[in-house]
Amino acid sequence: MTDLVLGIESSCDDTAAAVVRHGREILSSVVHTQAAEHAPFGGVVPEIAGRSHLRSILPVIDEALAKAGVRLDQLAGIAVTHRPGLVGSLLVGLSAAKALAFTRGLPLVGVHHIEAHVYAATMEAPGEVSYPCVALVVSGGHTALYRAESPLHMTQLATTLDDAAGEAFDKVAYLLGLPYPGGPSISDLAEQGDESAIPFPRYRAKDGSIGFSFSGLKTAVLYHVRGGDALAPTPPPEAIPRRADVAASFQAAVVENLVRPTLRCARDQGVSQVLVAGGVACNNRLREVLGARGREAGLQVFFPSPAYSTDNAAMIAGLGWQRLAAGARDGWDLDAQPS
Ligand code: KG4
Ligand code: ZN
């Protein structure tokens, strides 16, 4: 078996392909983002996403192979995201992967998108991550803590009662009249604001359990923007007073809502390392606060670089290689699963 794997990712609004050697060495990673197509709607529109993947999938795969200087017949196999995600989007990548694998006689492996995000945090730190460890996944669709026994074995320990952290960033950005995706725009505006200006609420579960919730925070921002009157119309962006302070104070509340449960979870699990994954892992304030508070608690916290925090196919090829090396193979009946 050669050790080159082609990874294909199309679970949400990014069409991506990558070639990775030995599960770690990224030879190419191509991402075609649909952000501009969804921006007018303030979030991902599934029907637009599926059609856009169809247009991009083959050019993106060709580009990844060309950039890596690799031919299909040199591959050990093809790895593809088959869950979780938007079914119409997943099916595009899955169909392309099946067609290529079938016609070239290559092994096919399905990869779990969330496990791949966590794997991304280990790809740039070879040899440094030891298992078991705790993983915090913070993306547009997920906010959850896992215990990872190995790259291929993860158990969910806690999740969100309502929104995902990235979704909260996107919705609050929309409310503040900032462009989609909301995470980067809020983070940029927050740099000019005072994060202690508005005491937005921090979430604590009534029963003391570890978990996440962002809906109360989102509602508090809405009330604040409407001047305390829930029934008042949302003012136009330029009429929102101290918008940078709102952005910074909201971001501080999200960061606190993520950091506290993560540190508690790592302590309860008796681990010394935490992996952080998903688009919200790009957030600079989260990196600073979790990094610093983790160090104080004797924890090593690993973040992927921003390009491998958001959706990409290098993480799919990397984890796919781990599955192939462990002897896994999927059949042509491999199906797309929303969750
Ligand atoms: O992992 P990802 O690329 O796609 C999903 O699988 O959801 O995550 C996308 C999410 C979006 O909600 C986006 O607003 C958020 O990640 N995000 C950020 C930042 N960059 C991206 N959130 C906070 N701060 C950022 N710098
Ligand atoms: Zn993702």
Side-chain angles (χ1 to χ4, degrees), residues 3-10 14-21 25-31 57 60-65 68 70 72 75-82 93-94 96-97 100 106-111 116 123 312-321 324:
D3 51 8
L4 296 167
V5 172
L6 169 68
I8 298 175
E9 154 68 39
S10 69
D14 291 306
T15 320
V19 178
V20 171
R21 176 179 285 139
E25 192 193 335
I26 301 166
L27 303 190
S28 65
S29 177
V30 178
V31 181
I57 192 82
V60 164
I61 292 172
D62 282 343
E63 193 182 334
L65 290 167
V70 166
L72 285 169
L75 295 172
I78 298 183
V80 61
T81 308
H82 74 115
L94 191 55
L100 289 175
L106 292 168
L108 173 78
V109 279
V111 170
M123 287 177 81
N312 68 88
M315 65 185 193
I316 306 301
L319 190 58
W321 183 82
L324 284 166

Side-chain angles (χ1 to χ4, degrees), residues 10 27 60 64 75 85-86 94 115 121 138 141 147 150 153 173 183 194-195 250 253 259 269 275 285 288 302 311 337:
S10 69
L27 303 190
V60 164
L75 295 172
L86 301 169
L94 191 55
E115 290 176 3
V138 267
R147 180 182 173 90
S150 76
H153 295 98
D194 171 7
E195 67 172 29
F250 162 74
V259 169
Q269 294 295 316
L275 308 176
R285 198 68 190 121
E288 284 165 14
F302 294 90
D311 286 351
Q337 292 173 31

Side-chain angles (χ1 to χ4, degrees), residues 113 117 139-141 166-167 169-170 181-184 187 278-280 282-283 309-311:
H113 182 83
H117 266 304
S139 70
E167 200 181 347
F169 270 105
D170 294 336
S187 163
V280 183
C282 294
N283 188 269
S309 297
T310 49
D311 286 351

Side-chain angles (χ1 to χ4, degrees), residues 116-308:
H117 266 304
V118 172
Y119 185 73
T122 72
M123 287 177 81
E124 294 161 287
E128 288 177 50
V129 176
S130 58
Y131 294 89
C133 56
V134 156
L136 168 69
V137 177
V138 267
S139 70
H142 292 83
T143 297
L145 283 162
Y146 298 84
R147 180 182 173 90
E149 301 293 344
S150 76
L152 295 169
H153 295 98
M154 285 175 26
T155 318
Q156 186 175 292
L157 301 170
T159 185
T160 174
L161 292 179
D162 38 63
D163 289 352
E167 200 181 347
F169 270 105
D170 294 336
K171 287 181 180 163
V172 167
Y174 193 68
L175 183 71
L176 297 180
L178 298 170
Y180 175 84
S185 23
I186 289 199
S187 163
D188 287 348
L189 182 62
E191 287 192 13
Q192 301 150 38
D194 171 7
E195 67 172 29
S196 60
I198 308 152
F200 287 131
R202 272 57 170 164
Y203 171 72
R204 269 182 206 271
K206 286 200 177 69
D207 64 359
S209 60
I210 296 179
F212 305 97
S213 167
F214 298 96
S215 69
L217 171 61
K218 216 176 53 188
T219 309
V221 178
L222 180 76
Y223 275 34
H224 177 86
V225 165
R226 290 182 177 174
D229 178 359
L231 299 177
T234 301
E238 56 289 355
I240 299 173
R242 295 158 61 211
R243 225 165 39 130
D245 286 354
V246 178
S249 302
F250 162 74
Q251 177 176 263
V254 174
V255 167
E256 188 58 28
N257 282 351
L258 294 172
V259 169
R260 200 188 301 125
T262 304
L263 297 181
R264 224 184 102 194
C265 183
R267 195 188 58 214
D268 288 359
Q269 294 295 316
V271 301
S272 58
Q273 295 188 332
V274 173
L275 308 176
V276 189
V280 183
C282 294
N283 188 269
N284 285 334
R285 198 68 190 121
L286 177 64
R287 286 175 179 249
E288 284 165 14
V289 177
L290 188 51
R293 301 244 303 263
R295 269 191 302 281
E296 280 166 24
L299 291 167
Q300 236 183 326
V301 184
F302 294 90
F303 288 91
S305 56
Y308 301 113

